[in-house]
Amino acid sequence: MRAGALRHQITLEQPAETIASGDASVAYTTVATVWAQLEGLVGTNRGGLTAEAEYRVRIRHRADVNPRWRLGIAGTNRKLGLLSAVDPDGRGRELVLLAREII
């Protein structure tokens, strides 16, 4: 992976479930801020009320990322939910994440 392709800063956020007064809620904690390559794949408009966009995100390899996590795009309020996290060649050099943003 070329370093010049990693132009976007993203945050990796891990969920933590908390129970207060019998109600469960999920809060996200930032684990790391990393450089990434973002590539838009497809966008869908759902009847004018909501829209979805899917992205391929490439980062340097990390063993701790899993599909329950979400991504934040630095400098914005945008959050992307992870669909998958794959080491494409099994060599531990990069991680390819598929993510979806619901707008």
Side-chain angles (χ1 to χ4, degrees), residues 80-93:
L80 308 177
L82 284 184
L83 302 173
S84 68
V86 177
D87 180 355
D89 59 8
R91 296 176 68 186
R93 296 185 303 178

Side-chain angles (χ1 to χ4, degrees), residues 28-71:
Y28 286 87
T29 308
T30 299
V31 174
T33 301
V34 298
W35 291 97
Q37 176 186 13
L38 285 174
E39 178 185 355
L41 298 177
V42 68
T44 307
N45 188 352
R46 304 236 176 219
L49 299 176
T50 62
E52 293 180 359
E54 290 188 8
Y55 296 88
R56 179 181 298 129
V57 182
R58 293 180 185 270
I59 63 173
R60 296 198 194 290
H61 188 269
R62 294 179 57 99
D64 57 347
V65 177
N66 70 61
R68 293 183 5 167
W69 289 22
R70 73 178 186 187
L71 307 176

